[in-house]
Amino acid sequence: MTFVTSQISRRSMLKAAGAAGVAVTATAVPATAADSAFAHPGLLHTQADLARMATKVKSGAAPYTAGFAKLTANRHAQSGWTPNPQATVYRGAGSPQNYATLYNDIHAAYQNGLRHHVSGDGAYADTAVAILNAWSAKLTSLEGSADRFLAAGLYGYQFANAAELVRDHPDFDLSRFQEMLTKVFAPLSDDFLVRHNGAVVTNYWTNWDLCAMACVLATGIFCDDASQVARAVDYFKHGEGLGSVKNAIPVVYDDGLAEWLEAGRDQGHALLGVGLMGTFCEMAWNQGYDLYGYDDSRFLKGAQYVAKWGMGGEVSYTANTRAKGAIGGWSGRETASAAAGVDPAMTRPIWAMIANHYTKRRGLSASYVTRIAARSAPEGGGGDYGPNSGGYDQLGFGTLTFTRDRVSDTGASPVPATSASARPQTGGTASPTAGDDLAATGSNDIAGWSAAAGITAVAGGLLLLRRRDRVGRGGTE
């Protein structure tokens, strides 16, 4: 693979304006156009990563063997898995929800593809291909409530990662799968980052943006869409929603920790957000974008905060108020005044990826992240963390896939990426829904879910999110 590098300068300011459903205008500073080639495999795992896993497991090295044992024990990682594709997938109250069928098949495809690379047994690759081909031959739409945007984001980035593991398999229908990602998943996620389902930009918590961002990036890389990748990277840095890095992590404290905004909501969603931002940074890294290190490693400071808090440690929390509501419709505001309570036993398979990047690739201290990663090891995947959808939000198996030896040059740049033109978003084809269908976490039913997290909901009026930031905003790109 040949890579072309150039300096990219881009800053898109995406704004939702006017009534729900009215098109929005986005502007961007174009980057230098270049060849659109990307590294493949190059989402969560590179060819070097896959070779490392296979070599370490074959040699009996710890902790890879324990991680591989978690994979082989999972019911999804079996070559006898039979897919159950659907023409339409529904997620959200009021719809005939069948999305569990989708996420179970995605995790089966990913786990079989991963097992093939580690074991060398082609039967697992064949199973992964059969699952992916079955879905690309049948799926035409994602429907439901606002939760359809979560489905597009989560399952779009996961589908791309599963397919990336077998994209060179002779029986895999690559072009049809790319078409499915481009027509079914990416438009919803792209549109969400522009319109936010017709809501004010801060209506949706951090993880909603991060789901969409992960899908836009992953499907862009998989489909070799350079402008789509550039949009996703730009949104991470400068997006107006709560998933961009300075909104997700609004306060940097003197002790080196940085507040994770959604810690004011609850532990589960904060862990989801950290996992999604880590996933985004890892995929970007493998294409030459160092977002892990962006803004003085802001993500590390946020991950350290969540790790300390999640293990029962005391953390600071600066109260913030965010606007809620539909554009041209109902309005309100919420104040998060303290970090929510935690269960130190709660975990998600997210920490090995983050700990290994900062300590092994970069040689940095990440004491809380390292400790919680050790507690969580060996990490499993979908099917190991309960039967509900939250147990399938991450692909997992980080002990196997992300454990690495310390590199000799911890200051080295990531794999070179191809530069791209950051074309303005036009909103795709998705249609926002006005009125009650803003989010399960934020339409007319505000008070009930928020009380346990120390959030005060106030009806009427709009108040922009207040942010206190010790890190200067100028000059960091």
Side-chain angles (χ1 to χ4, degrees):
M1 180 69 67
T2 300
F3 297 90
V4 180
T5 61
S6 67
Q7 182 65 34
I8 300 175
S9 175
R10 53 190 179 267
R11 183 183 182 99
S12 62
M13 302 301 291
L14 307 174
K15 296 183 178 181
V22 176
V24 296
T25 300
T27 60
V29 178
T32 303
D35 200 7
S36 62
F38 288 93
H40 297 292
L43 290 176
L44 284 173
H45 315 304
T46 66
Q47 190 60 51
D49 293 333
L50 296 167
R52 179 185 68 247
M53 298 172 214
T55 299
K56 294 289 190 178
V57 170
K58 185 177 181 179
S59 67
Y64 299 89
T65 51
F68 187 58
K70 289 290 288 187
L71 175 65
T72 59
N74 194 298
R75 70 182 183 90
H76 297 79
Q78 311 307 317
S79 60
W81 188 275
T82 301
N84 184 20
Q86 306 292 308
T88 301
V89 167
Y90 297 90
R91 176 167 177 166
S95 66
Q97 299 191 83
N98 61 350
Y99 67 102
T101 300
L102 174 59
Y103 66 66
N104 274 282
D105 275 1
I106 291 174
H107 283 257
Y110 172 77
Q111 292 179 29
N112 272 274
L114 189 60
R115 188 169 181 177
H116 157 68
H117 280 284
V118 178
S119 69
D121 189 335
Y124 299 107
D126 293 344
T127 298
V129 168
I131 297 167
L132 299 168
N133 283 346
W135 277 93
S136 68
K138 190 165 186 177
L139 182 64
T140 59
S141 65
L142 298 175
E143 304 292 344
S145 68
D147 284 7
R148 69 193 183 281
F149 293 106
L150 293 177
L154 289 168
Y155 311 137
Y157 97 76
Q158 292 177 1
F159 241 157
N161 272 277
E164 187 80 343
L165 294 175
V166 293
R167 69 180 293 136
D168 294 329
H169 191 288
D171 295 332
F172 177 54
D173 195 329
L174 174 62
S175 61
R176 191 175 71 197
F177 199 85
Q178 288 175 322
E179 182 180 12
M180 179 190 70
L181 292 179
T182 300
K183 292 184 176 180
V184 178
F185 292 90
L188 278 167
S189 292
D190 231 343
D191 185 83
F192 185 83
L193 296 177
V194 177
R195 306 180 202 264
H196 288 89
N197 195 30
V200 296
V201 72
T202 56
N203 182 78
Y204 290 92
W205 282 103
T206 297
N207 73 86
W208 287 75
D209 260 14
L210 286 169
C211 290
M213 291 160 60
C215 176
V216 172
L217 179 64
T219 58
I221 293 169
F222 186 84
C223 298
D224 291 310
D225 188 329
S227 63
Q228 184 171 314
V229 171
R231 288 199 303 273
V233 171
D234 182 78
Y235 196 95
F236 175 93
K237 298 176 180 179
H238 309 301
E240 292 187 354
L242 298 184
S244 63
V245 67
K246 293 184 183 180
N247 289 337
I249 310 169
V251 184
V252 177
Y253 294 105
D254 291 337
D255 62 0
L257 303 183
E259 178 181 310
W260 190 266
L261 181 71
E262 212 157 359
R265 180 187 181 188
D266 61 57
Q267 183 184 9
H269 287 96
L271 291 173
L272 168 61
V274 170
L276 287 168
M277 188 171 284
T279 294
F280 191 94
C281 290
E282 184 68 20
M283 294 188 297
W285 174 272
N286 287 332
Q287 298 299 331
Y289 298 92
D290 184 11
L291 301 182
Y292 277 119
Y294 179 71
D295 196 23
D296 193 28
S297 297
R298 194 182 191 96
F299 175 53
L300 170 61
K301 297 169 186 176
Q304 283 272 88
Y305 176 101
V306 172
K308 180 182 180 182
W309 167 66
M311 291 186 291
E314 292 287 332
V315 293
S316 301
Y317 194 90
T318 302
N320 63 77
T321 300
R322 64 191 185 100
K324 293 179 60 65
I327 296 174
W330 73 274
S331 62
R333 62 182 186 179
E334 283 178 353
T335 297
S337 57
V342 300
D343 174 5
M346 181 184 293
T347 190
R348 285 177 180 255
I350 64 175
W351 296 111
M353 173 175 57
I354 302 167
N356 277 277
H357 173 81
Y358 286 112
T359 64
K360 300 297 181 64
R361 277 191 184 137
R362 283 315 202 202
L364 300 175
S365 174
S367 57
Y368 296 114
V369 168
T370 302
R371 283 170 53 195
I372 202 168
R375 283 191 186 187
S376 304
E379 289 181 355
D384 292 322
Y385 297 89
N388 298 325
S389 61
Y392 293 80
D393 287 345
Q394 280 85 31
L395 291 169
F397 300 105
T399 305
L400 169 66
T401 60
F402 297 114
T403 300
R404 62 186 71 247
D405 298 324
R406 184 185 291 267
V407 300
S408 57
D409 181 7
T410 56
S413 298
V415 177
T418 315
S419 61
S421 175
R423 292 196 301 265
Q425 293 170 297
T426 60
T429 59
S431 298
T433 305
D436 293 339
D437 181 34
L438 285 181
T441 60
S443 57
N444 290 333
D445 184 17
I446 300 174
W449 59 265
S450 61
I455 299 172
T456 302
V458 182
L462 291 175
L463 182 64
L464 295 179
L465 180 71
R466 291 188 289 111
R467 302 174 57 228
R468 297 181 178 88
D469 192 346
R470 294 183 186 276
V471 177
R473 294 183 63 92
T476 303
E477 176 61 26

